Amino acid sequence: MEETKTKDIILSVKDLSTSFFLREGEVKAVDGVSFSVRKGECLALVGESGSGKTVTALSMLRLVVWPPGKIKSGEVILDGVSVFDLPMKNMKDVRGKGMAMILQEPMSSLNPSQTIGQQIQEAVEINQGLKGEEAKKKAIEMLGIVRIPSPEKRYYNYPHELSGGMKQRIMIAIALSCRPKVLIADEPTCSLDVTIQAQILRLMQQLRKEIDTTILFITSDLGIVAEMADRVAIMYAGQLIEICDVFTLFENSAHPYTKGIMGSITAMKEGGRLNIISGDPPDLMALPSGCKFHPRCEYCQEICKTEEPGYTDLSGTGDHWVRCHFPLNKK
Ligand code: SF4
């Protein structure tokens, strides 16, 4: 799969494969994933739980721990730098200033024994080179940017004194304090209730405009995709199966799996029955031969059971790729 619009690409992931080697066998968590993120855009990496989204992000940051995890192959190019070729000691410059990650669980990511102000200040000192009062001023400014009321007072609060939504705002402030080239948001709202979720998403949209950040947004929620993303990459069983812009996703998706999940949403919106894709998600330790989706696919033909499909460029311009022998909507 070759990206044709290469001019504005800030991050490119090529043929990334990561496995976990357990006593029971190899779990192929990420299997030959390639995609690019353009400067200033929000690309959503979408898939159900266990499809390989988070492991893809952790691999990009070289945070997969051996044993049992291992990056088997691939390349990650961030702003012209090959991340996997860097000595491990230089990864501290990539994590933060290069790619900063907002995790799902803010409570487990914040240090309970330090005030939130100190934690933001530390990120400012490391990544922006500011010190003392200047760094503190910047930390308070960051609290204001993520819409924390009375930032001067809140600077002295400990994480346990804040609500879940506030804690996630602090995580966003810490990530933005690194001034990352790419902000990776890994289901940042999944532990929050619906109202707070909407507030955090609105905040991220506003910040995206104000700070001109490039975002890789990991989610399994297509409602969030519609609100946040410019383009979408769909994952299934550790593989990337379709990539296109958001309009195409909702109007003209071509992979039977994508079509299936889109169908569930449409059915629910129209008050109909939930259109669940038949069959179970695949066992990553015993993946089917051929197309990984074939046991669940209503369009499956003989070739699908034996031959893994390659990518087809449906747009002819490199904007819409699908991994299927018989893409739907093919002109
Ligand atoms: Fe279905 Fe065959 Fe396409 Fe796989 S390759 S999604 S089985 S039609």
Side-chain angles (χ1 to χ4, degrees), residues 255-257 291 293-294 297 299-301 304 309 323-327:
H255 194 283
Y257 172 72
C291 169
F293 186 58
H294 90 250
C297 181
Y299 304 95
C300 176
Q301 299 189 32
C304 307
R323 189 170 194 170
C324 173
H325 287 301
F326 306 102

Side-chain angles (χ1 to χ4, degrees), residues 71-92:
I71 298 168
K72 288 167 60 186
S73 62
E75 206 180 8
V76 174
I77 311 287
L78 176 67
D79 204 11
V81 174
S82 173
V83 173
F84 289 176
D85 288 337
L86 292 173
M88 221 25 157
K89 64 176 170 36
N90 293 11
M91 280 306 294
K92 63 178 185 341

Side-chain angles (χ1 to χ4, degrees), residues 161-180:
E161 296 176 285
L162 304 180
S163 66
M166 290 260 233
K167 283 198 258 292
Q168 198 51 295
R169 283 167 197 257
I170 304 304
M171 291 308 299
I172 295 171
I174 291 174
L176 292 177
S177 298
C178 303
R179 293 194 178 152

